[in-house]
Amino acid sequence: MPTAVSLFSGCGGSDAGVIRAGFDVLMANDILPYAQAVYEHNHPETDYFLGDVSTIEHFPSADLLVGCYPCQGFSQGGVRQADRKINTLYIQFARALTEIKPKAFVVENVSGMIRKNFTHLLEDQIRIFKKAGYKVNCDVLNAADFGVAQERKRIFIVGIRNDIGIEYKFPSPSHGIQGGPKKLTIMDAIGDMPEWPEGEFYSKDFHWYYLSRNRRNDWSQQSKTIVANPRHMPLHPMSPPLEKLEHNVWRFKSDAPARRFSYREAARLQGFENLVFPEHTRGSLDMRYKVVGNAVPPPLFEAVVRALPNIW
């Protein structure tokens, strides 16, 4: 079985995809204790290092290196400052890449990295990875095209070591194409779950900023992007539709009950098949939303890894 090392692993979205693709994940890493608790409960066989990646002195040898460094500096919902220190965590990934020298690597981040004020950072990542000895390609993929019931665009940077002499080709969409399975819907993902899971969803009022855009899709559609901030979590389709009154002003069409997706529903909409939240380590509601919203949809990451050539 080929092996992998994972950095900035969170609760294990990327690694669930890597494992499904047939890899043994030797080591994972993140700085959030609750992310570690969820990861270890679901993947107890992996050695998890809790702490700043810069404090890891040595990395185990592996065939594949994967990493999803934090995206707050690039995200539509984040601060979006090009000079934030968090934007340069790819340097730590490059340090691991240089030490491990895996046959291939996969990086995931938000598609906002391609915005004009961030392209210099994307170009620098590609430059550093090429300098480390890899043929590098990048592309933006939508999770909805790969069996996830959610519109979620992410950029992937994939490299294959130069001496192998093969260039990576990104996978073509598997869902919503002629002759293939239809795109999964909200109904497909969460239609069997309780309508009102008390205590599992953020229940505070819908403030003016929340109602500055349409936050609801129907059962027959894909979910809007699942986020890490529970206040901005999309609406469950049991909620009444929203109507636009004026620019950046929306309201509910009726007074029927309305709520955001629960954290368990969010996990399903991210493509987790059966993510278990350990009861012995009770993370706050906000933290449960955070680790789910920060995760990579496992089916999307699996598709990217499976598209790697058989070089193991």
Side-chain angles (χ1 to χ4, degrees), residues 37 43 53 62 65 93 96 103 109 117 119 138 140 154 159-160 198 219 222 225 242 256 259 289 301 303-304:
H43 305 290
V53 66
L65 176 65
F93 184 86
K103 293 179 179 179
N109 215 304
N117 54 330
T119 53
C138 66
V140 174
R154 289 297 185 265
I160 297 178
E198 197 67 53
W219 284 106
Q222 288 74 48
T225 300
L242 290 166
R259 70 170 176 87
Y289 272 117
F301 210 90
V304 172

Side-chain angles (χ1 to χ4, degrees), residues 223-299:
S223 167
K224 294 179 182 295
T225 300
I226 297 299
V227 296
N229 187 331
R231 292 181 300 166
H232 300 158
M233 182 62 57
L235 286 165
H236 190 285
M238 66 157 288
S239 308
L242 290 166
E243 61 182 354
K244 188 174 184 178
L245 300 182
E246 57 185 278
H247 179 64
N248 288 340
V249 179
W250 294 70
R251 71 177 180 188
F252 290 105
K253 288 186 175 181
S254 76
D255 293 329
R259 70 170 176 87
R260 299 165 176 88
F261 287 122
S262 72
Y263 67 87
R264 293 188 195 275
E265 291 164 340
R268 286 268 199 99
L269 292 166
Q270 281 277 56
F272 285 98
E273 292 179 348
N274 189 28
L275 186 67
V276 178
F277 297 86
E279 295 301 323
H280 66 277
T281 307
R282 294 192 63 83
S284 66
L285 183 66
D286 281 17
M287 187 57 66
R288 292 185 177 209
Y289 272 117
K290 182 174 184 176
V291 299
V292 169
N294 282 338
V296 186

Side-chain angles (χ1 to χ4, degrees), residues 11-285:
C11 70
S14 61
D15 296 8
V18 170
I19 291 167
R20 290 182 199 176
F23 286 77
D24 179 16
V25 180
L26 304 177
M27 171 192 162
N29 153 255
D30 204 89
I31 202 167
L32 284 177
Y34 188 65
Q36 178 194 26
V38 175
Y39 188 111
E40 290 187 331
H41 189 85
N42 290 273
H43 305 290
E45 67 283 354
T46 299
D47 183 19
Y48 200 105
F49 177 87
L50 178 65
D52 191 322
V53 66
S54 66
T55 65
I56 302 176
E57 295 183 1
H58 299 291
F59 302 91
S61 178
D63 299 303
L64 175 68
L65 176 65
V66 301
C68 310
Y69 22 86
C71 61
Q72 289 88 337
F74 309 110
S75 175
Q76 180 72 25
V79 179
R80 286 191 282 172
Q81 293 176 343
D83 59 350
R84 291 187 73 200
K85 183 179 179 181
I86 200 168
N87 292 340
T88 57
L89 286 174
Y90 63 85
I91 294 173
Q92 290 299 324
F93 184 86
R95 178 174 71 90
L97 186 65
T98 301
E99 179 185 329
I100 300 171
K101 292 183 174 59
K103 293 179 179 179
F105 73 84
V106 178
V107 163
E108 178 268 358
N109 215 304
V110 295
S111 60
M113 194 188 291
I114 64 174
R115 292 193 186 96
K116 185 176 179 180
N117 54 330
F118 293 124
T119 53
H120 67 288
L121 292 170
L122 175 58
E123 291 167 359
D124 194 50
Q125 290 171 71
I126 294 172
R127 179 188 63 81
I128 288 177
F129 298 153
K130 285 183 175 179
K131 186 178 179 181
Y134 291 82
K135 292 182 183 292
V136 181
N137 286 287
C138 66
D139 201 359
V140 174
L141 304 179
N142 190 339
D145 294 332
F146 295 92
V148 179
Q150 175 194 173
E151 291 289 335
R152 189 183 190 87
K153 292 182 178 179
R154 289 297 185 265
I155 191 169
F156 285 85
I157 306 172
V158 182
I160 297 178
R161 210 170 60 206
N162 284 336
D163 63 295
I164 295 173
I166 301 176
E167 191 164 335
Y168 179 79
K169 293 183 179 180
F170 281 92
S172 298
S174 58
H175 288 64
I177 58 173
Q178 186 173 4
K182 67 180 182 65
K183 290 185 178 182
L184 297 187
T185 65
I186 298 174
M187 176 63 76
D188 293 327
I190 66 168
D192 63 328
M193 299 182 77
E195 185 175 84
W196 200 264
E198 197 67 53
E200 295 189 357
F201 61 88
Y202 187 84
S203 58
K204 293 187 179 179
D205 291 342
F206 303 105
H207 49 73
W208 69 267
Y209 181 77
Y210 188 87
L211 293 175
S212 66
R213 67 189 72 173
N214 185 11
R215 306 276 183 169
R216 179 189 179 277
N217 277 355
D218 290 327
W219 284 106
S220 61
Q221 297 175 294
Q222 288 74 48
S223 167
K224 294 179 182 295
T225 300
I226 297 299
V227 296
N229 187 331
R231 292 181 300 166
H232 300 158
M233 182 62 57
L235 286 165
H236 190 285
M238 66 157 288
S239 308
L242 290 166
E243 61 182 354
K244 188 174 184 178
L245 300 182
E246 57 185 278
H247 179 64
N248 288 340
V249 179
W250 294 70
R251 71 177 180 188
F252 290 105
K253 288 186 175 181
S254 76
D255 293 329
R259 70 170 176 87
R260 299 165 176 88
F261 287 122
S262 72
Y263 67 87
R264 293 188 195 275
E265 291 164 340
R268 286 268 199 99
L269 292 166
Q270 281 277 56
F272 285 98
E273 292 179 348
N274 189 28
L275 186 67
V276 178
F277 297 86
E279 295 301 323
H280 66 277
T281 307
R282 294 192 63 83
S284 66
L285 183 66

